[in-house]
Amino acid sequence: MTTGMNILAAVLSGAAALTVLVMMVRTGKPVRRAATSLVEGFCAMAAVDVAGIFTGVSLGFSWFTAAVCGVFGIPGVISLLIMRALAL
């Protein structure tokens, strides 16, 4: 992957992370929203891995992917899938 693509992926991931964090704080219940995001992220990661049996696309489990999916939820899973697609 070229340097420009790495920078673009980092900027897009950072923008998505910032958006999720701002929306979490704006709800007025950031702890509940964080817990919901955690559950949604792990469910989305599991769904991608189960669908990977049929599609051939999976994220694999590591501490990094678990942290991204847990903290950022579904947007984190989508960001990981985009970064994986750009790396190929």
Side-chain angles (χ1 to χ4, degrees), residues 13-57:
S13 298
L18 184 63
T19 302
V20 169
L21 292 175
V22 167
M23 297 309 290
M24 238 184 246
V25 172
R26 279 191 177 179
T27 61
K29 299 175 183 171
V31 174
R32 180 183 295 173
R33 185 61 194 132
T36 303
S37 180
L38 179 91
V39 172
E40 288 174 353
F42 286 143
C43 288
M45 186 171 141
V48 167
D49 283 340
V50 168
I53 296 169
F54 305 106
T55 64
V57 177

Side-chain angles (χ1 to χ4, degrees), residues 58-80:
S58 65
L59 292 175
F61 181 80
S62 70
W63 290 109
F64 176 74
T65 57
V68 169
C69 295
V71 172
F72 300 118
I74 295 172
V77 175
I78 293 169
S79 297
L80 288 172

Side-chain angles (χ1 to χ4, degrees), residues 1-10 82-88:
M1 199 155 67
T2 65
T3 304
M5 293 292 275
N6 285 334
I7 292 171
L8 178 65
I82 290 171
M83 289 191 321
R84 181 172 174 91
L86 291 175
L88 295 176

